[in-house]
């Protein structure tokens, strides 16, 4: 009972860390897709992106639960140790390894994103031109 209560303070922190990790790629990725894709292709691509984000967590839980049926060393378990016994340790580490490899393969192209979006460059040029031309009341209009 005390173990269950001790985990509750960790949950908000874990949720915040997860949010910090999920938010930038989601926002930047959709903005980037909006910048580079033609309008007729944008809807289906954003839909597939949302479906992947929606299904990713439940699929990872299912993968993790399946991997726990394998012994931790991925070899035969010691004599007398069978699934369901108190000595059984499932391959919990595979639940981290497989998604990490998948995320690395998918995430590596993110390195190829430009430092600044094309539309942002045009916007910054307009602002810098406005900043250089003072108005009669020294305010930007």
């Amino acid at each position: 009972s005390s173990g269950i209560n001790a985990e509750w303070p960790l949950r908000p922190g874990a949720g915040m860390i997860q949010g910090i990790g999920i938010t930038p790629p989601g926002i930047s990725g959709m903005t980037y897709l909006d910048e580079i894709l033609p309008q007729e292709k944008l809807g289906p691509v954003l839909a597939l992106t949302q479906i992947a984000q929606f299904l990713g967590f439940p699929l990872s839980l299912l993968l993790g639960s399946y991997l726990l049926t394998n012994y931790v060393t991925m070899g035969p378990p010691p004599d007398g140790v069978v699934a369901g016994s108190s000595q059984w340790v499932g391959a919990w580490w595979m639940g981290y390894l497989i998604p990490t490899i998948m995320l690395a393969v998918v995430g590596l192209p993110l390195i190829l994103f430009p430092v600044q979006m094309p539309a942002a460059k045009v916007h910054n040029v307009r602002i810098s031109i406005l900043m250089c031309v003072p108005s009669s009341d020294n305010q930007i209009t």
Side-chain angles (χ1 to χ4, degrees):
S1 171
S2 64
I4 294 173
N5 292 333
E7 75 183 31
W8 282 104
L10 297 176
R11 289 181 184 261
M16 285 189 290
I17 291 171
Q18 183 181 19
I20 290 168
I22 290 173
T23 302
I27 294 171
S28 301
M30 287 190 187
T31 304
Y32 186 72
L33 290 173
D34 187 34
E35 291 281 333
I36 65 168
L37 289 175
Q39 281 302 115
E40 62 271 2
K41 292 184 180 180
L42 182 62
V45 170
L46 288 180
L48 288 174
T49 303
Q50 290 299 307
I51 289 170
Q53 288 178 351
F54 180 73
L55 293 178
F57 186 70
L59 290 177
S60 67
L61 289 176
L62 290 173
L63 174 66
S65 64
Y66 170 74
L67 291 171
L68 287 175
T69 62
N70 297 323
Y71 192 66
V72 70
T73 60
M74 296 305 291
D79 292 336
V81 177
V82 294
S85 71
S86 62
Q87 292 88 18
W88 180 266
V89 179
W92 58 268
W93 55 273
M94 292 287 289
Y96 293 104
L97 181 65
I98 293 171
T100 300
I101 292 170
M102 291 170 60
L103 285 172
V105 169
V106 172
L108 286 176
L110 293 176
I111 296 171
L112 303 176
F113 276 10
V115 174
Q116 193 172 35
M117 299 290 185
K121 290 179 185 177
V122 172
H123 184 69
N124 287 342
V125 168
R126 288 181 189 153
I127 289 175
S128 64
I129 290 172
L130 289 173
M131 296 288 282
C132 294
V133 180
S135 63
S136 61
D137 58 357
N138 290 331
Q139 292 181 357
I140 299 173
T141 57

